[in-house]
Amino acid sequence: MNKRFLFHIHICLIPIFGIVCSGRVYAQLEQSDRLEIPTSSSSTEQFEVFSLGEQGLLSVIRGDEVFNRNEEWQFVKYDTTMKVVWKISYKLDNRYIPVMAHKGEHTGYWLFAEPDTDRFLFLQLNLNDGSIDVHKANLLSGVDVQQFKVLGSKALISGYYRSRPVVLVHSFFDHTTRVLPGLYEKNTELNNVDINERDGYINVITYAYRKKNCVFEIKTYNYDGKLLKRTTLSDPRNSFISGQIVPLNPDDSYLIGNYSVGCTQYSQGLYVTHITDNEPDKPEFIEFSELQNFFNYMKPKRRERMLERIGKRKSMGKENRFRYRLLVHELIQTEDEIVLVAEVYYPNQKASSPIISGGLTRPYMSRSMEGYRYTHAIVCSFDRNGKFIWDNCITIKDLTSFDLQEMVQVTRVDDYFVLAYPQEGEIHTEVISRNKVVVETEKFKITPKSEREKVLNNEDNYLSPWYGQYFLAYGMQRLGVSSVGQGREVFYIDKLTYKTESIGKTANPEEAARPR
């Protein structure tokens, strides 16, 4: 029996149910409810969960029965008490394979492709009543889709065609398709397709190699796909690897990302720049050595040696060079600050350049078979004027993934940020308050609903913020009353809450607010 999960959660979070903590308890995790969905023994199944905030959640189960040519997709919406609101199924023509999914405010979108043809299929699911609308389109044969987003009544499909970047805009209204101009160039990579829903703009960020120089460019299009302006970032010494736009008004924004020395994918630090009328100000570069906590993932003696070496080179007027690869998450924006989260990783063999992908868009096809190893994640805050405020980090021990995806999840609970990542049936968490660690790293095990049962095997555990102080934990478990026998296999969804009221109350106050 082949079961597989396709969760690519990018802004998730925390704890888990019936949780068993392996250390002292500083914060409180509680299970409010749990769903256990038995898996089918007669079909190949795959599962997904989408958070709908206070409107509930959406589970998607897709599978094909033996001798049944078409794949059945079952969509079920639950309210916040885990009660079924509606349920609907759709039979997918076996000629199509899933490519990506995107969740809008009131509609879910799924993109399917017929391999080796230009035929695509769009499925639109009304999240309020469960109604489905399907239509087909002829787009571009052989396009390697990297991102799928929806702006208003138009789908944006970005990727590569014959090794050059393309962005297709397909209208759900009149079923026309157009290609955004000015992108189909050699030696150019797509960095991100950013949507400004408020102003109806499409920002395509590219990274190109031109005459031994690296060119980082933002092309801005209106809702109809007309090119409005180009913004080019350049620096005599540094190159820009990635960037995310923080719009202030239609002609005023900030760009935040990571940079390198020379045309490489190895990050030297972070940058922020103000852009007015498509003219960028001089960027502020923040080298990793200037961050207070960047090297805290190292053991104390190694960290001390590293800082001594950095200080010695600076005193001699020599440049420090770092070889870190960063997977930058979608920016977290609050009323008073902008938070950047990035994971430091190494490819086990070779690597591809990641593009930024928000938590609302999920790919269905693996991008790499090499595997990646994560060492730590950094959290950096900027105020609404683009000024760097504070940084922190969480150590990631022995975590690997076949796909380059966001593993560490960060969310804000009260006045704290909770950092968490899953590993082998456990959730590792750390709670920070700005540059201070208020709850040290802890591990929590996912346990069954019934006290009579125990977990015989874990397959893929995922976390996602839900609404308010509630979170979703989900995955697959094999449960049984004893280790003898195969037990039963279930897909589970847990409703959890992370309470921070007890932080610091069971520990020495000085220790509970230890600076990094």
Side-chain angles (χ1 to χ4, degrees):
M1 180 167 43
N2 179 19
K3 313 284 182 189
R4 186 184 171 198
F5 290 90
L6 291 173
F7 304 119
H8 296 266
I9 297 302
H10 299 281
I11 312 179
C12 328
L13 220 248
I14 290 200
I16 289 213
F17 147 41
I19 279 179
V20 177
C21 176
S22 59
R24 290 181 297 172
V25 177
Y26 297 94
Q28 188 176 1
L29 301 173
E30 292 183 357
Q31 178 198 8
S32 302
D33 214 335
R34 175 176 167 102
L35 287 174
E36 290 184 352
I37 305 171
T39 61
S40 172
S41 59
S42 60
S43 66
T44 299
E45 292 181 324
Q46 299 182 17
F47 301 91
E48 286 186 281
V49 170
F50 290 85
S51 166
L52 304 180
E54 295 184 355
Q55 300 303 310
L57 65 95
L58 178 72
S59 75
V60 183
I61 303 177
R62 46 183 279 230
D64 52 334
E65 299 288 340
V66 180
F67 306 120
N68 190 341
R69 296 181 60 190
N70 296 331
E71 186 177 61
E72 181 175 8
W73 287 58
Q74 184 181 81
F75 303 92
V76 183
K77 180 180 179 180
Y78 299 89
D79 62 19
T80 55
T81 65
M82 299 289 202
K83 300 295 188 296
V84 175
V85 178
W86 50 255
K87 180 188 299 185
I88 192 169
S89 296
Y90 174 76
K91 289 281 189 178
L92 176 66
D93 188 321
N94 69 340
R95 293 176 297 177
Y96 290 93
I97 60 172
V99 179
M100 279 191 172
H102 175 80
K103 183 180 75 67
E105 184 177 0
H106 303 291
T107 309
Y109 303 88
W110 280 261
L111 175 66
F112 302 90
E114 184 176 341
D116 303 320
T117 74
D118 64 351
R119 291 186 285 273
F120 286 77
L121 182 146
F122 294 92
L123 185 150
Q124 297 174 247
L125 175 68
N126 187 311
L127 298 175
N128 295 319
D129 59 18
S131 58
I132 290 178
D133 181 27
V134 176
H135 73 266
K136 300 177 181 179
N138 295 96
L139 301 181
L140 191 63
S141 177
V143 62
D144 178 18
V145 179
Q146 298 285 309
Q147 282 186 306
F148 169 50
K149 295 183 177 181
V150 176
L151 176 63
S153 63
K154 295 183 179 181
L156 305 177
I157 302 99
S158 58
Y160 295 93
Y161 178 70
R162 296 179 178 175
S163 301
R164 299 187 186 186
V166 293
V167 177
L168 308 174
V169 180
H170 179 77
S171 171
F172 294 130
F173 178 72
D174 59 14
H175 307 299
T176 58
T177 303
R178 67 172 299 175
V179 179
L180 292 184
L183 296 171
Y184 193 66
E185 300 175 345
K186 291 182 179 179
N187 303 318
T188 302
E189 294 183 6
L190 282 170
N191 182 268
N192 189 27
V193 177
D194 178 85
I195 293 176
N196 182 339
E197 295 191 44
R198 183 184 66 186
D199 302 312
Y201 289 160
I202 303 167
N203 296 295
V204 181
I205 304 175
T206 59
Y207 179 92
Y209 189 69
R210 300 277 186 274
K211 297 180 180 179
K212 298 183 179 181
N213 293 317
C214 294
V215 179
F216 194 83
E217 192 172 52
I218 304 171
K219 295 183 177 70
T220 302
Y221 303 83
N222 64 11
Y223 185 70
D224 295 322
K226 179 183 178 181
L227 179 60
L228 301 179
K229 58 185 178 180
R230 296 172 183 247
T231 303
T232 302
L233 275 74
S234 62
D235 184 83
R237 177 176 173 272
N238 300 319
S239 298
F240 303 89
I241 299 176
S242 74
Q244 294 185 64
I245 299 171
V246 181
L248 304 176
N249 57 58
D251 299 313
D252 195 9
S253 62
Y254 285 104
L255 188 71
I256 299 174
N258 57 318
Y259 74 95
S260 66
V261 176
C263 296
T264 76
Q265 290 297 310
Y266 295 112
S267 297
Q268 185 77 3
L270 307 175
Y271 75 89
V272 57
T273 185
H274 185 209
I275 301 175
T276 306
D277 292 327
N278 79 312
E279 288 297 327
D281 292 344
K282 183 178 179 180
E284 177 188 358
F285 295 102
I286 306 163
E287 192 177 273
F288 289 139
S289 61
E290 298 174 25
L291 300 180
Q292 181 180 352
N293 299 299
F294 183 85
F295 299 102
N296 282 4
Y297 75 98
M298 298 178 177
K299 292 182 179 180
K301 289 185 177 180
R302 182 188 171 197
R303 176 175 177 269
E304 184 179 350
R305 290 195 301 269
M306 171 66 78
L307 294 178
E308 286 179 357
R309 186 161 59 248
I310 290 173
K312 185 177 180 179
R313 290 185 63 85
K314 284 187 176 181
S315 65
M316 297 171 63
K318 293 184 178 181
E319 183 179 69
N320 287 294
R321 290 290 184 100
F322 303 109
R323 294 180 62 84
Y324 292 105
R325 295 178 187 265
L326 257 61
L327 177 61
V328 182
H329 295 209
E330 186 173 349
L331 295 174
I332 301 172
Q333 299 190 45
T334 66
E335 291 184 2
D336 55 351
E337 63 183 333
I338 305 161
V339 178
L340 179 147
V341 180
E343 291 163 280
V344 180
Y345 70 93
Y346 295 92
N348 283 345
Q349 295 184 32
K350 61 181 180 180
S352 57
S353 301
I355 64 172
I356 298 172
S357 144
L360 304 183
T361 302
R362 304 181 188 176
Y364 281 94
M365 292 178 287
S366 173
R367 298 296 177 196
S368 172
M369 296 301 293
E370 305 298 336
Y372 302 88
R373 178 171 60 88
Y374 301 79
T375 59
H376 62 296
I378 59 173
V379 184
C380 301
S381 174
F382 301 82
D383 65 19
R384 300 302 298 190
N385 294 318
K387 181 181 178 181
F388 174 73
I389 307 175
W390 57 265
D391 73 276
N392 218 314
C393 84
I394 181 173
T395 302
I396 308 173
K397 295 182 178 179
D398 304 318
L399 179 64
T400 59
S401 172
F402 283 109
D403 300 320
L404 184 57
Q405 57 182 312
E406 297 171 10
M407 302 299 291
V408 173
Q409 308 302 333
V410 178
T411 198
R412 189 168 186 169
V413 180
D414 299 326
D415 295 326
Y416 306 101
F417 283 96
V418 187
L419 292 69
Y421 66 91
Q423 185 177 26
E424 297 179 354
E426 294 181 325
I427 304 300
H428 298 242
T429 67
E430 183 174 285
V431 183
I432 64 173
S433 176
R434 293 177 165 270
N435 64 331
K436 297 178 181 179
V437 175
V438 294
V439 180
E440 297 282 356
T441 300
E442 296 178 312
K443 293 191 294 185
F444 303 95
K445 289 186 177 180
I446 308 171
T447 61
K449 185 174 183 179
S450 171
E451 295 182 357
R452 296 180 59 250
E453 292 185 308
K454 60 181 180 180
V455 178
L456 304 180
N457 184 51
N458 280 288
E459 264 190 56
D460 302 311
N461 307 303
Y462 295 89
L463 303 164
S464 174
W466 197 359
Y467 66 96
Q469 61 183 356
Y470 294 101
F471 306 91
L472 293 172
Y474 42 91
M476 180 182 287
Q477 292 176 330
R478 187 175 294 278
L479 310 176
V481 294
S482 71
S483 56
V484 179
Q486 292 187 348
R488 64 190 184 98
E489 197 171 57
V490 301
F491 170 62
Y492 69 88
I493 307 175
D494 286 306
K495 180 180 181 180
L496 311 163
T497 180
Y498 196 105
K499 295 186 176 180
T500 58
E501 293 90 340
S502 61
I503 286 181
K505 293 183 179 180
T506 58
N508 183 292
E510 295 181 0
E511 179 184 354
R514 174 181 66 83
R516 296 295 291 247

